[in-house]
Amino acid sequence: MQPVVEVYALDDFVLWPVAEVESFSYLALSGELTPLEVGTVVMRIASCNDIDPEDGGRPPRPADPLGSFLHGLLTFDSLFAAGGLRVTDSATGVAFLPGCCNGLEDWREWHQVLDGSGQAWFGHDPDPRAERHGETVRLTVDAEQNDSPVIELLATDLRRLLAEAEHDLTSFLALAADWAAQNLPRHAAPVTAALARALDLPTPTEPPARNPEAHANTP
């Protein structure tokens, strides 16, 4: 199980360095990402929320390009991060992927399968569904298909996998906080807080130490 963000290539993006990625692929989050990959994830989450303010709602969009691009990320109370939790069966190769409109901010809904209603849906086209049957959890890749591939695992294994996924998210957030301090020093604290909201995690309490010799001319 891996927390993933759906990414796509933006050839004209120049606000900070990003990695070359295949459009509409998934980038798994962890504490092992490169700075370019972290920049790609931050860019993608910001772009998911890059929506013009409505009348009487959020503050007006700033005029400068960086402030304008970050505006939705920094001003929306509820954020969307296209993606979710990907589960891969290493024995069969079957992959359970988040569907369209699923967001990583809702990753805790997986606990409904274990401790709540016993089932959860994760987007559409395909329609991935998780259901608990006693001590077994069935992950159906596309519940709209009668012959859909499935993954079955023990409820105890799912609980362990969710704990590991949360660790990956927490490790990524710590890495992203350091990245923001290096690459977006004037916006580091609010960007880190926004990423924490987007990942449904507590905001890191200790700001990372910044290397004064690195990125001296960053935005």
Side-chain angles (χ1 to χ4, degrees):
M1 175 176 278
Q2 298 171 300
V4 296
V5 166
E6 186 183 43
V7 294
Y8 57 83
L10 282 181
D11 296 334
D12 57 349
F13 186 80
V14 296
L15 294 176
W16 59 75
V18 295
E20 293 186 7
V21 295
E22 181 181 350
S23 289
F24 305 107
S25 61
Y26 288 103
L27 186 57
L29 307 190
S30 73
E32 303 299 320
L33 268 61
T34 68
L36 290 179
E37 290 171 331
V38 175
T40 300
V41 174
V42 177
M43 178 271 290
R44 179 60 175 131
I45 296 177
S47 68
C48 284
N49 299 279
D50 186 19
I51 302 172
D52 285 328
E54 297 180 357
D55 292 340
R58 296 176 293 132
R61 185 188 290 269
D64 69 285
L66 179 61
S68 176
F69 182 68
L70 293 175
H71 188 61
L73 178 69
L74 301 184
T75 58
F76 271 124
D77 292 329
S78 298
L79 296 170
F80 174 63
L85 298 185
R86 176 176 63 191
V87 183
T88 305
D89 187 332
S90 58
T92 64
V94 172
F96 181 90
L97 299 171
C100 179
C101 300
N102 194 74
L104 190 52
E105 72 281 357
D106 293 328
W107 71 270
R108 293 187 189 273
E109 290 186 4
W110 276 85
H111 288 284
Q112 287 292 320
V113 181
L114 296 172
D115 305 312
S117 64
Q119 63 179 350
W121 294 78
F122 303 101
H124 58 89
D125 296 327
D127 294 71
R129 179 173 65 186
E131 297 176 290
R132 181 169 182 172
H133 301 277
E135 294 306 310
T136 300
V137 175
R138 171 172 287 191
L139 308 181
T140 304
V141 173
D142 188 351
E144 294 298 309
Q145 302 295 326
N146 293 329
D147 58 348
S148 170
V150 299
I151 298 174
E152 291 191 347
L153 68 162
L154 294 175
T156 52
D157 288 336
L158 177 58
R159 197 176 298 279
R160 172 182 55 80
L161 290 172
L162 285 171
E164 292 173 356
E166 182 171 5
H167 179 268
D168 284 339
L169 286 169
T170 302
S171 299
F172 167 78
L173 183 58
L175 191 65
D178 183 67
W179 177 92
Q182 298 289 342
N183 290 271
L184 302 172
R186 292 190 293 111
H187 302 277
V191 165
T192 300
L195 292 174
R197 295 201 312 277
L199 302 177
D200 196 7
L201 293 173
T203 302
T205 54
E206 301 236 347
R210 187 178 178 209
N211 178 358
E213 296 181 0
H215 304 281
N217 297 316
T218 50

